[in-house]
Amino acid sequence: MIKSLILVTTLALLVSSPSAIRIHPPPSTSDYNQSPEYANGDKCQSLQTASCHPSLVHIATTLDFKYLRGSIASVHSILRHAACPENVRLHFITADFSAAAADLAAVVESAFPRLSFKVYPFRKESEIKRLISSAIRPALEDPLNYARIYLSEILDPCVNRVVYLDSDTIVVDEIQKLWSTPLTGSRVIGAPVYCRANLTSYFNGEFWSDRRLSRALEGKGACYFNTGVMVVDLERWRSGGDYTRRIEWWMKTQKERRIYELGSLPPLMLVFAGEVEGVDHRWNQHGLGGDNVVDSCRRLHGGAVSLMHWSGKGKPWVRLDRGRPCPIDYVWAPFDLYKFAKY
């Protein structure tokens, strides 16, 4: 009787938990192969014990069960192409669920024994859930998608610059080139910018018909940037501009009036429109996941490639395991460390 009562109580707590929707079999360190050993060369300055040294290359990304395989592959690609891999610091943001965070961290440590990293629980998850409205894809409604808005608060105060990457990216170039992108003037963000965008497709009639709202884009140019790859000056973000609160204001407006269909991208566009440092397009060959079209295969755009991004519904590990990959997915496969890959 007592055991039954304990079981019922435990199940009730799990169902009522904010993290209940993320209940999965815990990942095991035995699920992933250990990566090759990537060590600093003779020309690298040793920064292993200097957690806040200004020359460290800081990378932030989210870490969860659903995209763990993608995250492992992304980190693998970064280390493989880094000239000084031991000077790369990874900052993983997880759901605010300590047991899950510990399991995920154990997998990362097992796959990359020499990697210096830190895991940060996303403490604002319940708060963000109250601000999120439904999006064109359910995946865009995950509170972790909004963690990038709070990097200045989440990461250690000594981290003054960071590259934010989505979990479905692969880097095929030296990541320090992206991290060291100059941000001119008072600009806070750098990203590949696309100025032939039709912004009417990102915001609906409710937005454009209200002059108080639409003037946020007035004179800013019809430019779009993908928030899955960004260089962020955290020192400038923290020192002024009230950027986080301004983004939250747009999220509240969206909740009340429904002015766009996507997730975390539009509010960042509304705050930073016209003020994003343009980065070479080679650093975000995005849309490889087919955007919002199921089973849609995309090719790389013309020109050089430094980073590939499977934004959209189609993730390479899913398509490969199903035996229905797109040609570009075979470029992702060599970075996959999952032991039970079906290809």
Side-chain angles (χ1 to χ4, degrees):
M1 180 66 181
I2 295 176
K3 288 183 178 180
S4 298
L5 180 60
I6 292 173
L7 177 59
V8 170
T9 304
T10 302
L11 289 173
L13 288 171
L14 286 172
V15 171
S16 63
S17 165
S19 301
I21 58 171
R22 288 197 184 88
I23 294 176
H24 296 273
S28 169
T29 56
S30 62
D31 291 344
Y32 289 85
N33 293 308
Q34 184 175 306
S35 79
E37 185 174 298
Y38 298 111
N40 281 359
D42 294 337
K43 296 182 180 180
C44 296
Q45 181 182 3
S46 179
L47 304 174
Q48 286 181 286
T49 60
S51 60
C52 292
H53 195 283
S55 296
L56 289 172
V57 177
H58 294 280
I59 313 295
T61 186
T62 56
L63 192 67
D64 63 5
F65 291 107
K66 185 175 182 181
Y67 294 104
L68 176 60
R69 190 167 163 189
S71 298
I72 294 292
S74 183
V75 173
H76 186 196
S77 71
I78 291 169
L79 297 178
R80 178 181 290 186
H81 294 94
C84 302
E86 293 180 75
N87 295 348
V88 174
R89 294 291 187 272
L90 264 294
H91 303 268
F92 295 107
I93 306 165
T94 68
D96 188 10
F97 188 41
S98 58
D103 289 336
L104 292 165
V107 172
V108 172
E109 188 171 14
S110 174
F112 307 104
R114 297 183 68 126
L115 178 66
S116 177
F117 70 93
K118 185 172 181 178
V119 175
Y120 306 77
F122 186 36
R123 304 295 187 190
K124 289 184 172 287
E125 188 167 346
S126 59
E127 180 181 331
I128 286 296
K129 283 182 177 180
R130 292 193 292 269
L131 290 175
I132 296 175
S133 57
S134 60
I136 194 170
R137 286 191 289 122
L140 298 177
E141 300 169 23
D142 191 316
L144 273 180
N145 280 332
Y146 294 82
R148 70 198 77 190
I149 295 169
Y150 298 95
L151 292 175
S152 64
E153 301 173 22
I154 295 172
L155 303 191
D156 293 332
C158 67
V159 179
N160 291 328
R161 171 180 284 243
V162 68
V163 170
Y164 177 85
L165 297 178
D166 275 350
S167 300
D168 51 2
T169 56
I170 289 295
V171 176
V172 291
D173 202 344
E174 167 58 72
I175 192 65
Q176 185 165 2
K177 295 178 184 177
L178 177 60
W179 180 83
S180 59
T181 299
L183 299 181
T184 60
S186 60
R187 287 175 173 164
V188 176
I189 286 179
V193 176
Y194 306 88
C195 291
R196 294 182 180 179
N198 179 8
L199 293 185
T200 57
S201 64
Y202 293 98
F203 304 96
N204 59 27
E206 178 73 11
F207 173 83
W208 294 111
S209 63
D210 190 325
R211 183 76 176 78
R212 293 173 300 172
L213 301 179
S214 61
R215 68 184 178 187
L217 297 176
E218 190 174 272
K220 299 295 181 66
C223 295
Y224 150 88
F225 70 101
N226 182 288
T227 57
V229 179
M230 298 186 292
V231 182
V232 186
D233 188 315
L234 296 177
E235 188 173 24
R236 291 178 183 174
W237 188 302
R238 295 177 183 122
S239 64
D242 206 21
Y243 300 108
T244 303
R245 303 290 86 81
R246 287 163 60 192
I247 293 168
E248 288 178 335
W249 186 89
W250 282 110
M251 292 171 64
K252 291 174 184 175
T253 302
Q254 161 72 355
K255 187 76 171 180
E256 295 168 359
R257 300 185 56 179
R258 189 80 183 179
I259 57 175
Y260 52 78
E261 301 302 323
L262 293 175
S264 60
L265 167 62
L268 269 83
M269 288 178 62
L270 288 164
V271 170
F272 291 105
E275 300 175 10
V276 176
E277 187 76 41
V279 176
D280 195 295
H281 289 181
R282 68 191 298 162
W283 283 105
N284 196 355
Q285 289 265 355
H286 64 286
L288 302 181
D291 292 330
N292 297 311
V293 182
V294 178
D295 295 330
S296 174
C297 290
R298 299 290 180 86
R299 297 179 180 178
L300 291 173
H301 311 299
V305 180
S306 293
L307 184 148
M308 289 171 278
H309 187 183
W310 276 259
S311 55
K313 287 187 174 181
K315 303 307 175 189
W317 57 93
V318 175
R319 297 192 297 211
L320 285 161
D321 283 356
R322 287 178 178 172
R324 299 170 61 184
C326 292
I328 193 63
D329 297 340
Y330 290 109
V331 179
W332 179 90
F335 303 101
D336 186 15
L337 294 177
Y338 188 60
K339 285 184 179 178
F340 310 107
K342 299 177 182 177
Y343 54 84

